[in-house]
Structures are given as structure tokens and as C-alpha cells.
Amino acid sequence: MTTLTPPAPAPARPPATPGTRSLLTADQLGPALAGAFRKLDPRGLVKQPVIFVVWVGSVFSTVLAVADPSVFGWLIAIWLWLTVLFANVAEAVAEGRGKAQAATLRKAKTTTQAVLEDGSEVSAATLVPGMRCVVVAGQVIPGDGDVVEGIASVDESAITGESAPVIRESGGDRSAVTGGTTVLSDRIVVEITSKPGETFIDRMIALVEGASRQKTPNEVALNILLSSLTIVFLLAVVTLQPFAVYSGAEQSMTVLIALVVCLIPTTIGALLSAIGIAGMDRLVQRNVLAMSGRAVEAAGDVGTLLLDKTGTITLGNRQASEFVAVGGCSDAELADAAQLASLADETPEGRSIVVLAKTAYGLRERTDLPGAVFVPFTAQTRMSGVDLPDGRQLRKGAAGACTTWVRTQGGEVTAEVGDAVDSISASGGTPLVLAVAGPDGARVLGVIHLKDVVKEGMRERFDELRRMGIRTVMITGDNERTARAIAAEAGVDDVLAEATPEDKLALIAREQEGGRLVAMTGDGTNDAPALAQADVGVAMNTGTSAAKEAGNMVDLDSNPTKLIEIVEIGKQLLITRGSLTTFSIANDLAKYFAIIPAMFAGVFPGLDKLNVMQLHSPESAILSAVVFNALIIVALVPLALRGVKYTPGSASAMLQRNLLVYGVGGVVLPFVGIKLIDLLVSLIPGIA
Amino acid sequence: MSATTAGWLQFALLVVALVAVYRPLGDWMARVFTSPAHWRAERLVYRAVGVDADAEQRWPVYLRSVLALSAVGVLLLYGLQRLQSLLPLDNGMAAVEPGSAWNTAVSFVTNTNWQGYVGESTMGNLVQMAGLAVQNFLSAAVGIAVAIALVRGFARVGTDRLGNAWVDVTRAVVRLLLPLAVVTTVVFVLAGIVQTLKAGTDVSTLAGGSQYLPTGPVASQEAIKEIGTNGGGFYNANSAHPFEDPSAWISLLQVFLMLMIPFSLPRTFGRMVGNTKQGLAIVGVMASLYAIGVGLLTLFQARAGGAATALAGAATEGQEVRFGGPLSALFGASTTLTSTGSVNSLHDSYTPLGGAVTLFNMMLGEVAPGGVGSGLYGMLMLAVIAVFVAGLMVGRTPEYLGKKLGRREMTLASLYILTTPAIVLVGTAVAIGTSAGRAGMLNDGPHGLSEVLYAFTSAGNNNGSAFAGLSANTDFYNIALGLAMAFGRFLPIVLVLALAGRLAQQGRTPVTAGTFPTHRPLFAGLLTAVVLVVVGLTYFPVLALGPFAEGLS
């Protein structure tokens, strides 16, 4: 038997606080700029077709500026390079935010030695699954694994940012330990479950750094559309030259390049990968690790959410909600007895009885009860209570146990008790019978109604989810009747009562057959198959390694309610991409009105009617469009990193809003922006 | 009654007639392509072709069937023209030149009906009837079949079968096009359109001279020409010729006929996917774009500057004075928006901005309402693009009618919107950039550019109408436009059928509150915007140098 010594306070990094982190701090800017320059390497840029085209254009325009120097030529070349650079900055900034986190994680990987069961020391890097290591207080756990012997308090702040230590013990659902965390007390034996280099921390580092980032399915599809648009615009401009020559308005290569760069969707092209990285980062900030970007995207598509009742929908414990007096017992008498019987009961249920007696019946809390003997709850008696100095014995417990006790004490149990018990059960509550035995004989005083308390705000969350088109299913081991009652109170759409792991798996398969994507949380080993089957399986960090292995996300805070936030982040990621794509394409209209008259009004004066912005000169018009095109990328970096504002609601309402802001806004804004830039640009000597 | 009032009445009548046939015709077409029973006449065809009518095809097989039918069609039509003088019913016409024969063969098989030749003095009755008319039916049927295959892609779940191309084409001809064409022919004959095997008549004119009036089986050609959105006229003057289009009533009827099937197919689509509102959204987009096209063209024609124009009430050059400006504009807009290409007035003589509208109409990709079948599948491909962008904006993997639009689907749809602009722009650039191309231009300046652009836009989008002012019966244009027509027709069909196959294999995502509804005005508006923006952005520069440069000066 192991005794648990109180853990020493652990030094820990401050927990991550979502939302408060500034988007870009001065110390991040330096490395981001350096990264942006490194990313000018065309071999990397090829993966972003839109930006690669700009890169090629920059090279050409530079060559042209060198061969035939002019203020206009050089300015265009410079701003084209800036366009590429700004795109790189966006990505580098997004990556930089993960790098800081990765550095912290790397520090946790300092352990090099592991002590095996036989006492020999080996390098942690050589540990393979199946090996057993001994870790004692003060040591760092050398690798991921399960506790197979002992119990210990572990400081997991290196991973979770949470400084309060957690208990890890062999057997059960709290056996998983993570390499890099520190044992604060006691001694445990850990069986290693991960290969070297593939530990949880290794994967975390890779994830937050974006090293293992793969394009997600929607990102790939969007990239294809953008590439196709790029080709269309390339064709439109390449074929324009023969038409221009025919019309006697041959255009310089520089102008044509400028036109292409302005037309192709550079804004979204530049921000696309930053949006993806930032989406993952938003999860990391909420202490959720997504093992793949695909899972984050799938979260946005989720159609069915499976939620465990206990801890997710309801508070972990039942609470007393009502005292039902029977047999002529007054309410005050019952409340008093209930309070007395529960004073020493440290369980949440017991405490809630004391609280109810105080709030509902105005009983002052008694602190000590001289001469009273407390009778603790045991599995045999299934009752607890108190023996008072005046000879009265108070007992509370399960209906069966209590009524039997009353009878053995010579009392009678009326049918009224049975009715009260049944009516509480029917409403989904748990009846707790309170009885007394003493000089006056034994009798049942009343029944305490213990109730699952639905967490505050859950109904609103579920209404919100319903508006988003997500069906919620509550999973519980309770019987159907109890489950239905709680489900109705919480406002979930459906329940799976008396659920076994097989039932869960079958439910997921059924939902998926109907074309719905399913998300769930789980922590136990028996949740693993369902976690693996679900499209989004969020494993609790407190759970077993089997569960963590099976899911595609791990919640370091082990907060099942977070599933809802994950769904929102997934949606926000897609919305940001879609909105900026719309914005990017909508921008083209104004650019045409700036550039086309500038190119051809000289030959066809009538086309100057299209110069609705009254731009200063052809050169200033083209340059302004290019400058606007570059600056808008920088201006939208914060939006790309933060994500478009997401308010849960119906798809139609959301689309309407985003179309208005990013579609209509995208048409109007550049007219204003280009005009303003033109006012400045026209002051440059050589342009004016 | 003023011309303007007459114009409004004509348009109102047209709308009423189209609304009236929308449901019955759309439902009938849905029945035609979903009924399990074969008609006896159809069985004969299947036996002759040697196909098992009850065996369904995967998309590559469906595609091969369509391509094979078209390839054989090109060969037969080419052969008929080349061997014309050796065959009966040649009306004394010589063999058609190889370049022209190739161009015409491709043109009629691709439902383009671009005519680089002068009909009444080139093609004898055998070629007209056994060659051109047959392809008018088949090319229309192929378009409908491909559209139906795509609709099945949306309607079906978890299958790799898209139906049977031979059955679909046969049924389109037997149950839809032939009956409609027969009835229409009778009406046309009653209205005075020529229908005879006699090659022509010598008549004494009022002025005392004599004139040879070529005649032939015009009414029957004319019926399928409009119903199948083909547009290839018996006469060079097409529907501006009194023997093809004797009165304003008939002219209006012809407009109705070319719009009838394309505007009703969305109903078929709605029926087949089990939600007629989806069809309404599509037809709503088509109708909006159509109304814009007709409205702008009428406006630009009526508002042209100059004292003469003001006096006449509208630009009258090249207009059919028997019909008046509004009916000419209505016909012109309808024919360019339906890929028909028949004309009752000369588009080359339209005002520059009016000409720009006819150009832009075709550049829309023939989707409003487009050619028979091709209009629907073109619009659905654009809808896929619109749904993708919109779907992202509501935070889900985009889905249309429960079908997810992933990497493969978007690749196909993206290539689709890329194909036609590539053909049109590259074709026009090559023509403008080479002396062979410039040799055919009769005008210089922006108008000359518009004429070449019009030719390639017409060919690439399988419209077939001509701006004239371009001597297109040269080897260069016969070959180049032939290629533009072939690629413009069959590359999109490959992509459409591939997408259909891909969609049919998918399951169906159920509709929830989080699903972006594609049957509401919001989506219809978005799709309209997408069509206009994609096309506008692609063609803006070249339009600026052509019609805009001319029209804004």
C-alpha cells in the first residue's frame, strides 16, 4: 500500500490564457522578418502557386528595371517583392507563435537517463514500448507510458500549463503519464508505450511548430480553385498583348506583370497557410492538441455531438433539491434531521443537503455536535448518519436499505414512502430516504430528492448548436427514464441510456452511415474504439494512453465541454478562408477600373470614362493598384491570425453577413484605398 | 401600337408561355429519363446499335459512348458533304471544300451550327436532311443526355452508374425532340415557311426582272434548329430570311422554341433530385441573367446616338424592319444566351455596346439558359464553384445537394471554368497575332477585334452566331474555329461526366440548420454574381479593347 505524501509546490510556467496573447509582439517581429526573407526561396514558394507567380513577376520586373531603369519600373519591382515578402511575413508570424511554445516543450525533453526496473540506467532515447522504468519523486518521467505499479502526484505543467499536480495511479482511467512531466511524490513504475522520437511531446513540438503541417482537404480544394483562377488571369493578360499590339497600344512587360499580380488572388494566396497555422494555434491556446489539421476541419463539419452526461452536461455530482416529508413529519423537522444526518458527510451529495437545509429552510449551519457519533457510509449498510446524545439515531440512504433498517428497528413503513420514492425516481432524480430510530420508535421522516444538476448555460449552448445544425446526443449509464428527464432539462436532442462501449460505437457508425460527422470526448480505455471511429475524437489528457492514441485530439485541460469550442474553431477556420477568398476576388473589379484605362486611354480616349477614380496618371494608377494589393495583405494579417468573427447562427444568416462584409466590402474598399494611395503616389517625382 | 409597346407585349407573352411550359415540359423530361419502360421504336434503335438498353454505364463508358456517337457523326457529315455531287438529291451542288466540310461537320455535331458557308448555294437537300438535320437532333440529344447524367450524379447515392448514354440520347430524340419538331414543322408550314424538295423557282420580279429563289425542306430544318438550340439556318440569312421567318409571330415563336427546353430543364433537375425548389433557384438565376441580357441589349439598341437613330426610334442598321428593334433585340439576346446562334438581324450592325452585350451573353458560357442540356450542366458547374466559396463562408466543408465538394470535385469544376476562356482568348490572340487570322478581317480598329473575338467566343461556347464582317470561310478560320468548337464542346463534357461519376459515388450529407440552403434567393443572387464576376473578370481587358473602346469613344 502506498501512502501519498503531499506534493511539493511545483514551479510552472503560467497557464496559457486564450485571447489575451497579443497577435504580434515586437520580439516576434524580428524572427518573423528573418523567416520571411528565408521563404523567398522559390523551391518553397512553388507550393503556393499564387505567390510563386508573384515571385516570378518580381524577378522579371527587376530584370526589366535594371535593363531599362525608370522610377516607375523600380517602384513596381520593389512593391512586387514586397508583396511576396508580406505573404511570407504572414506565414512566418503564424509559425513564430508556435515556435515559442515549442521552445518551452523542448526544455521538458531534457531527461536523458531512465532507470529500469532492475536498477540499470539507460538513455531515454533508447526506450522502446514494453520497457519498464522506475520513477521516484523529483525525477522526470523518461517517456510516455502507463503506470503499472504505484501511485504518485505528477506535475504536468510542462505540457498543460496547469501548475496544480495531478494524481496518476496504476489501473483505471488515470494511468497514463507523459514523458517530460515530473513526479512530485512517491514512486511509480511506468511501462513505456511510445517509440523514441514519437512521444507525445515530440508530436506536440512538431504540431505547434507547424513542421508536420499538411494541407487540409478544404485547403487543397481551395488551392485548386485559386490556381485555376490564376491561370485564367494569366491567360487574360498574356493574350492581351496581341490585342494591344493590334490596337496600337503595345504594353510594357512591367505593366502586364503588374496587371497579372493585381488580378490573381494574391490576398487569399498570401494568407492561406497563415490561416491554417493560426487555426491550429487557436486550438493550442485553448490547450487542445489536434493531431491533424484534417481533424480541425472535420470539427467544423460535425453533425452530431456525443456528450457524456456526467461532468459535461451535468455537474459531476447529484445535489439535494427538495425534502419530501412523510407521515406527518413537519418540513422543519425533516430539514433539521437531514442537516444533522449530513453534517459529517463530506460527499458532495451530503454537503448539498446541508446547503439546501440552510437556503430553503433557513437552518443555520451547525459546526459541532458534542457527543454525537457519526456513522459513515459503507457499501454493506448503504447508509450513513449520526447517533445523537439524546438517543436518536438518524440514518439516510438508499430507499431499500433505509426501509429495511426502520423495520428491523421495529418501525413501520407506510405506502406514502414508496409513493414519494417512486415519484422522485420517475422525475429522473435519486431518492434518499431519511429515517429515525429512538425512544419514540422508528419511522421514516421523509425523502430527500437528489437531482442531477445541469450545468448553467448548457441549454443555451445546445440551442446554439441546434441553430448551427448540430445534433447533440447525451450518453449516460443511467436508465432510460432518468436519462430522458435530464435530457429534457438540458435540452439535448437525443439520449443514449444505459450505454455500453458497444452501444456508443454502434451509435457513431449509425450516424456516420447517415452522412453525419460525429464528434465525441472520452478518457477510458473502453472509449478507445469509439474515439477512433468518431470523426473528431477528443481524448482527455487525464485519460488512458489507449484513449489518447485513439482520438485525433487531446484536451490538456480534460474539459469535455470544450468540444463545443473545438467545433467553433473548426468553423471559424473555414469561414476565414472563404471570406478572404471572396474579398480577394471582389477586389479585382476596382483594380480593373484603375489599370485598364491607364493602359489604353492613351489610344482610346473613350476608355478614360472607366477611370471612375480619377487617378492622377497611368503610372500612378498602376502603381497604386500594386501598392494597394501589397498593403492589403499586411492589413489582413491580424484578421487571418485571429480568424473572422464567428457568431453561432444559421448558415443563411452567416453567409449573408459575410457576403456583405467581405463581398460588398471587397468591391468598395479598393476603390477608396487605391484612390488614397494614388493621392500619395502622385507626389513622387518621376510618377507625377 | 408603338414599337416599344409591341416589344413589351412580345416579351410578356414570351414570359407567360415559358412559365406555362416550365412544369409540364420539365416533368415530362424527368419522366422520359427515369421511366424504366422502352418504346418499341427505341428497341429497334438499340437492336440496330447493338446495345443492352438495361445495362447502365460508369462515367468513362458513358463518355466514350457520347464521344463515339459524335465522332461517327463528324465522319458521316464530312463524308456526305465531300461526296455530295455523287449522291442523289444534290440539287446540283458541288462537293464541299475540305476545310469548310470539316468546319461544318464539327459545327453541327457540337451543336454550334457556325456556318462558314452559304447554305442555299452549298448544301443540297440530302446533306441538309440526312446530314445537318440529323446532327441537329443528335447534338441536342447529346447535350441533354450529358446534363441528365450530371443530374443523376447529384440524385444518386453510392453508385458508379450514370445511366446509359444510348438510351438517353435515343429517348431525347424519340420522346422529346421528334414530337416537338413534327408539331412545330406543321405550324411553320401553315405559317408559310417553305417545305419542299424542289431546289428553287425562277420568279419574275415586280421590276420586271427575273430571280431564282432557292427552296427546300426549310420548315422541318427550322423546327429543330430552334428547339435544339442549334441555329444553323437553311439560308445564309438565317431567320432574317422571309422563307425561314415569315412574320413577327413566327419570329417570336422561334424565340420561344429556343428557350423552351433550356428553361424547363431546371425543373427536370429539381424533379430528379427530389426538390423542385432547387430547380427554381437555378431557373431563377438563368432568368435573371436572361432578363439583364435582353434588357441591356434592347436599351443599347434603342439609345444609340445620332439623329437618324433618334428619328427611327432605335438603331435600325442590320435590323429586320419587318419585326422592329425590340423583337430584333429579343431574338439577338435569346440566340446568344441559348447557344442557338440563329439570327433575325445582323449582330455586326448592332451598336457597339449592343454588340458587346451579345458577346458578353455568349461569354457567360451559355448558361442563361444556355443550349439544350449544355445550359443546365454549365450552370450546375458554376453552382459548384459558388457553393464552394459560400460553403466555406458558413464554416463547413462545402456541399451541394448533400454532395461534398472536395479536392477532386473542385479540380473538375475549376478546370471547367478555365476551359472555355482559354479556348476563346488563345484562339482570338492567335488570330489577331497572325497574318492568316488578320487576312479574314474586313474591318480594322476595335470593331475588327470585336469581330474576331465574336467568332471565337461563338465557336468556343458552341453558339454559332456570327458577327459577320469576318471572312471565316478560309482554311485558317475553318480549322481554328473547328478546333475551338470541338474543344469547347467535348472538354467540358469530359469534365462534367467525370464530376457526375464522382458525385454519384458519394453518399449524401443530411440537411441540417448548418447546411447552406441552395434553393433560396440568397444563393440565387450569389450564383448570379459568381457567373457575372467570373466572366467579367476574365474578359474585361479584351472587351475594353473591342466593343468598349468603340462604344465609349
Side-chain angles (χ1 to χ4, degrees), chain A residues 441-462:
Chain A
R443 65 193 167 104
V444 172
L445 293 170
V447 186
I448 303 168
H449 186 164
L450 287 183
K451 204 172 145 179
D452 259 321
V453 178
V454 174
K455 284 184 182 172
E456 214 163 308
M458 286 316 280
R459 179 170 270 281
E460 288 71 31
R461 298 294 302 262
F462 292 135

Side-chain angles (χ1 to χ4, degrees), chain A residues 568-632:
Chain A
E568 292 184 354
I569 290 173
K571 286 193 178 295
Q572 199 186 24
L573 180 67
L574 296 187
I575 295 172
T576 308
R577 281 192 200 133
S579 300
L580 290 183
T581 305
T582 310
F583 183 84
S584 192
I585 296 169
N587 272 201
D588 279 2
L589 192 67
K591 293 174 191 162
Y592 263 139
F593 277 97
I595 298 181
I596 293 293
M599 286 167 84
F600 300 118
V603 179
F604 302 114
L607 288 180
D608 203 46
K609 285 178 192 160
L610 296 179
N611 184 6
V612 288
M613 288 171 272
Q614 295 297 312
L615 302 180
H616 187 261
S617 67
E619 285 81 12
S620 77
I622 294 167
L623 186 58
S624 303
V626 171
V627 170
F628 175 84
N629 194 50
L631 289 182
I632 198 72

Side-chain angles (χ1 to χ4, degrees), chain A residues 235-305:
Chain A
L235 274 172
V237 175
V238 168
T239 56
L240 185 58
Q241 184 71 328
F243 305 148
V245 171
Y246 162 85
S247 307
E250 187 173 351
Q251 297 297 312
S252 74
M253 191 70 178
T254 308
V255 170
L256 291 176
I257 291 170
L259 180 58
V260 169
V261 171
C262 284
L263 292 181
I264 61 176
T266 45
T267 315
I268 180 65
L271 298 174
L272 195 54
S273 60
I275 294 169
I277 297 168
M280 296 286 270
D281 189 57
R282 272 198 293 285
L283 277 181
V284 172
Q285 282 181 53
R286 282 170 180 75
N287 263 347
V288 176
L289 289 184
M291 296 305 164
S292 74
R294 189 182 282 264
V296 185
E297 246 175 28
D301 288 347
V302 160
T304 305
L305 215 52

Side-chain angles (χ1 to χ4, degrees), chain B residues 191-239:
Chain B
I193 296 183
V194 176
Q195 179 75 359
T196 174
L197 284 180
K198 197 174 167 195
T201 318
D202 280 309
V203 294
S204 305
T205 64
L206 284 175
S210 98
Q211 187 182 358
Y212 179 71
L213 290 181
T215 53
V218 181
S220 53
Q221 296 278 77
E222 198 58 21
I224 189 63
K225 171 187 113 178
E226 310 294 1
I227 293 170
T229 64
N230 294 288
F234 188 90
Y235 296 102
N236 189 42
N238 210 300
S239 283

Side-chain angles (χ1 to χ4, degrees), chain B residues 54-69:
Chain B
D54 292 314
E56 296 223 332
Q57 299 169 322
R58 289 180 302 113
W59 80 262
V61 183
Y62 200 102
L63 175 66
R64 276 207 295 277
S65 309
V66 166
L67 292 181
L69 180 64

Side-chain angles (χ1 to χ4, degrees), chain A residues 218 220 224-225 228 232 235 243 246 300-301 467-469 514-515 571 574-575 582 592 604 606 609 651-652 654-655 658, chain B residues 389 392-397 407 411 414 418 432 441 444-446 449 510 512-514 516-517 520 537-538 541-542 552:
Chain A
N218 279 318
V220 173
I224 289 167
L225 179 63
S228 159
V232 168
L235 274 172
F243 305 148
Y246 162 85
D301 288 347
R467 279 198 298 277
M468 286 156 64
K571 286 193 178 295
L574 296 187
I575 295 172
T582 310
Y592 263 139
F604 302 114
K609 285 178 192 160
S652 285
M654 207 147 41
L655 180 68
N658 290 332
Chain B
V389 176
L392 287 180
M393 268 193 286
V394 302
R396 284 173 64 131
T397 295
R407 182 176 61 85
T411 309
S414 298
L418 177 65
I432 289 287
M441 294 165 63
D444 54 10
L449 177 61
T512 69
F516 160 57
R520 301 250 179 89
L537 294 182
T538 312
V542 66
L552 293 174

